[in-house]
Amino acid sequence: MTAILGAFTAEDTTLGVSEIARRTGLAKSSTSRIVSELVTHQFLERNGSGVRLGLKVFELGETAARPRDLRKLALASMSDLRHAVNLTVHLAVLERGEVVYIEILPARGTPRLPSRVGGRMPAHATGLGKALLAYADPHLVDELLSGELRRLGPNTVTDPARLHRELARVRTSGVAYEREESGAGIACAAACIRSVSGEPVAAISAAGWMDDVDVRRVGPAVLTAAQAITRQVERRPTLRL
């Protein structure tokens, strides 16, 4: 079952049984049988001569990929921030060295960024990730920075010593900045949302295209939004993440 569902990528809308068999390495007869079972249980649905992901997958994805309580707490502040700076506002959490986007409010009247809800990016290459890593367990940070730091954009920081210096600056100012680190032409300011014990819970950012955003100007607004959400988190010690 997992191999069949894993055959679909973000770019796929419909796949035929033969293509699923090719991608999974399963026999076509076995693939056809499993696909039929998944259709019966609504994990897949028929679409012409192929199948696509079904309602049950999206229901499970909604439950798993979006920590609902956190998202609900953050939405008002995210909306206020978007209104104030007219940039795309992201909410993300840290998971195994990657940031996972759990909510995105696109800027009105501006070109869309390539980020998507449920998408992942290496933490070291994003403003959101740096905001989270600045307050993360030092042992986790050391382990992450000891591995290969993949370059994603023209200015991705891949030198561990430089990243440690940047994280120290984030702890001093409260704001992480990104300029073409996660991708060409992208800039953002991000700040960490923390628990009552000071641990990183999530991060919020305002992002846009380099020609349209002065990240230093929007940094204080992002920090204010993060602090507002942090106060709400502190009042909810049983927050489900």
Side-chain angles (χ1 to χ4, degrees):
M1 172 179 171
T2 55
I4 300 293
L5 297 178
F8 289 83
T9 69
E11 290 73 34
D12 296 319
T13 54
T14 299
L15 291 177
V17 170
S18 295
E19 177 60 18
I20 295 173
R22 186 188 69 80
R23 293 187 183 188
T24 60
L26 297 171
K28 188 174 179 180
S29 58
S30 298
T31 302
S32 181
R33 176 179 53 79
I34 298 171
V35 163
S36 295
E37 293 176 0
L38 291 173
V39 168
T40 299
H41 295 287
Q42 297 184 305
F43 288 100
L44 294 176
E45 62 184 30
R46 302 287 181 187
N47 185 35
S49 60
V51 291
R52 61 189 177 193
L53 295 176
L55 180 62
K56 187 67 70 175
V57 170
F58 290 105
E59 289 175 346
L60 292 173
E62 180 72 10
T63 300
R66 302 192 186 192
R68 293 191 175 194
D69 291 351
L70 175 59
R71 176 178 170 271
K72 288 178 182 178
L73 286 181
L75 271 175
S77 294
M78 293 178 68
S79 181
D80 288 345
L81 177 60
R82 180 178 64 174
H83 179 75
V85 300
N86 194 36
L87 296 170
T88 295
V89 176
H90 298 88
L91 182 69
V93 295
L94 183 66
E95 184 176 286
R96 295 193 298 275
E98 296 179 312
V99 293
V100 182
Y101 297 99
I102 62 173
E103 187 56 88
I104 299 175
L105 300 184
R108 295 186 176 93
T110 61
R112 292 185 67 90
L113 295 172
S115 52
R116 62 181 180 83
V117 171
R120 294 172 175 263
M121 295 285 283
H124 73 275
T126 68
L128 288 161
K130 289 189 290 184
L132 287 159
L133 291 175
Y135 299 98
D137 184 325
H139 295 295
L140 181 151
V141 176
D142 288 340
E143 182 180 354
L144 173 65
L145 300 191
S146 67
E148 180 183 0
L149 299 176
R150 185 158 55 98
R151 182 177 297 278
L152 298 183
N155 297 325
T156 306
V157 180
T158 58
D159 175 51
R162 181 180 166 189
L163 269 170
H164 275 295
R165 291 193 296 270
E166 288 204 14
L167 298 182
R169 285 195 289 270
V170 173
R171 287 190 289 273
T172 299
S173 68
V175 183
Y177 296 103
E178 177 199 336
R179 297 176 181 85
E180 293 194 302
E181 294 173 45
S182 63
I186 297 173
C188 87
C192 189
I193 298 160
R194 302 166 70 186
S195 69
V196 67
S197 63
E199 295 178 350
V201 172
I204 186 173
S205 73
W209 299 104
M210 285 280 290
D211 293 341
D212 302 325
V213 54
D214 178 351
V215 293
R216 293 286 176 180
R217 180 182 63 81
V218 303
V222 174
L223 180 58
T224 297
Q227 291 170 337
I229 302 169
T230 292
R231 287 192 293 271
Q232 295 184 69
V233 169
E234 289 173 345
R235 292 195 291 267
R236 296 280 300 278
T238 60
L239 179 67
R240 178 169 54 84
L241 299 176

